[in-house]
Amino acid sequence: MKRGLVALAIGTFALGIAEFGMMGILGDVADGVGVSITEAGHLISAYSLGVAIGAPLLIALRRMSLKTLMLLLSAVIFVGNLAASLSPGYYMLLCARFISGLPHGAFFGAGAIVCSRLAAKGQGAQAVAVMVGGMTVANLVGVPMATFFSNLFNWRVAFMGVAAVGLTAYVCLRMWLPYLAPLPDSGLKGQFRFLRNPAPWLIYGGVFFGQASVYCWFSYVDPIMTQVTHFSAASMTWVMVIAGAGMVCGNALAGKLADRYSASMVTGLIAAALVVIMPALYFCAPFKVPSLVLMFVATAGLFGVGGPLQYLIVRFAKGGEMLGGAGIQIAFNVSNAMSAALGGLAIHEGFGLASPALIGVPFAAVGAVMLFILYRNHDRVRS
């Protein structure tokens, strides 16, 4: 494995903890800065806002060499999370979380192009899977560790840890990533020209709907597993490790299959499988072993859809490759926010804690249809 890909994975490992680790320490942070849980929830939204705003800023950085760009983004990961760890109060922490989110989409967008440059012929999707794998490992190891050390010491330790990983990514990128020339500059208008074609929109739709299908349910995995499946609160650490293992396996397997066959076909089949898996999660919610097995499969599908499409967008975003790749992360984060809201609405309306799994079914179906259309009309003739 090329060391440059490992350096990228270290960066996404930091981003994964920064994005998902807040969920596990939200109560500690709220107590630490003297705000309610509802107000502390805005710290999650601030990160997502940073993702949405930071991704399009790649346009202004398009003339940088790819190595310089990745170094800049990893430096912002370090600075943003260091500022969060040192924040004296809520509003400073809110600003730091926004800054921490700025490099997220841009790192994945530019990183997908770096992967395509570094990968051997026919292994582009696997190279992107290595990069995305950093985020899956973050969910498997990094997020539980951040929660553990936050509970053991202080919530600031979690952000210090992310800052340290960000600094490590900077050093490794500086040492291991070769010089990579900037992409040909197609001008400001040229950055958006790829959006005239339907294929990128089908890819974004596949990400948006395919991942929303799982996130409707996964956003409430803690109360579902403790109050419906009746795992103890203490058991949730290893339950979430199983969920993270599913992400790791799904990302790696989908990357290999996407290189061997077609990324759109592979992701379309995964989304179609989720049409069956999500109602199974609902009906099996009271049973521990089936719930764990289905959770593993569902989280595998979550990253099995997203990883290959992060690679595929580079092919269909000529002239605006970095913006195209960053758009995947915008679709992902907007999908995450929307699906969590819809899942919460189903619970609020009295359909039960497990009901978000059923809300995810139509999303999986729409995502599968869009990806199959992408394969039939666009991807198959180019594979």
Side-chain angles (χ1 to χ4, degrees):
M1 183 186 299
K2 294 186 177 180
R3 292 186 298 177
L5 297 177
V6 175
L8 292 174
I10 294 172
T12 62
F13 180 77
L15 293 171
I17 305 174
E19 181 174 20
F20 295 107
M22 179 59 77
M23 285 73 162
I25 64 173
L26 198 61
D28 291 340
V29 173
D31 292 339
V33 295
V35 298
S36 67
I37 286 291
T38 302
E39 290 176 296
H42 297 323
L43 296 168
I44 298 174
S45 301
Y47 188 93
S48 296
L49 181 62
V51 175
I53 292 177
L57 292 180
L58 274 176
I59 297 173
L61 306 176
R62 65 187 186 274
R63 294 177 182 174
M64 280 188 178
S65 74
L66 290 171
K67 179 171 182 175
T68 302
L69 178 57
M70 299 311 296
L71 288 172
L72 173 63
L73 295 173
S74 58
V76 178
I77 296 172
F78 167 70
V79 171
N81 286 282
L82 180 63
S85 72
L86 300 174
S87 295
Y90 173 70
Y91 291 104
M92 176 65 181
L93 182 56
L94 198 67
C95 292
R97 286 290 291 169
F98 173 77
I99 294 170
S100 299
L102 287 173
H104 186 112
F107 194 97
F108 278 93
I113 300 167
V114 173
C115 288
S116 66
R117 295 273 190 94
L118 296 179
K121 185 176 181 180
Q123 296 182 359
Q126 292 181 66
V128 172
V130 172
M131 177 184 73
V132 176
M135 177 167 279
T136 65
V137 174
N139 281 279
L140 176 64
V141 178
V143 172
M145 284 182 61
T147 304
F148 174 78
F149 285 112
S150 176
N151 293 331
L152 189 62
F153 298 107
N154 186 284
W155 61 269
R156 298 180 186 275
V157 174
F159 292 112
M160 289 180 184
V162 179
V165 178
L167 181 61
T168 302
Y170 178 90
V171 172
C172 292
L173 285 166
R174 193 172 188 86
M175 292 191 304
W176 296 342
L177 194 65
Y179 172 81
L180 298 170
L183 294 169
D185 187 7
S186 57
L188 185 60
K189 290 183 178 179
Q191 298 294 310
F192 296 91
R193 194 170 291 126
F194 73 95
L195 293 173
R196 296 176 181 176
N197 302 314
W201 293 106
L202 290 169
I203 294 173
Y204 292 146
V207 171
F208 183 90
F209 290 104
Q211 301 206 333
S213 65
V214 179
Y215 261 103
C216 283
W217 168 83
F218 193 61
S219 299
Y220 301 93
V221 66
D222 190 330
I224 292 171
M225 287 293 185
T226 54
Q227 298 179 43
V228 181
T229 317
H230 299 299
F231 283 104
S232 67
S235 299
M236 284 307 297
T237 298
W238 64 262
V239 169
M240 294 308 294
V241 167
I242 293 174
M247 296 176 188
V248 172
C249 294
N251 173 65
L253 180 59
K256 290 185 178 181
L257 292 174
D259 277 332
R260 185 172 180 180
Y261 300 105
S262 162
S264 56
M265 174 57 74
V266 169
T267 52
L269 289 171
I270 293 172
L274 291 172
V275 175
V276 178
I277 293 166
M278 300 316 296
L281 276 166
Y282 174 79
F283 289 112
C284 293
F287 309 106
K288 290 185 177 181
V289 173
S291 289
L292 290 176
V293 172
L294 289 167
M295 179 184 67
F296 178 90
V297 176
T299 55
L302 177 68
F303 273 83
V305 169
L309 295 180
Q310 185 81 58
Y311 162 71
L312 189 61
I313 190 65
V314 175
R315 284 176 43 192
F316 289 101
K318 297 302 181 186
E321 290 90 345
M322 285 195 291
L323 181 62
I328 294 286
Q329 294 302 311
I330 296 176
F332 174 81
N333 278 271
V334 174
S335 172
N336 187 5
M338 179 212 66
S339 56
L342 290 176
L345 180 62
I347 295 172
H348 178 73
E349 293 297 320
F351 292 102
L353 273 174
S355 62
L358 295 179
I359 302 298
V361 174
F363 290 115
V366 172
V369 169
M370 296 184 77
L371 291 168
F372 287 139
I373 292 173
L374 174 67
Y375 172 72
R376 179 177 178 180
N377 294 346
H378 304 279
D379 196 24
R380 179 170 58 178
V381 297
R382 300 178 61 164
S383 298

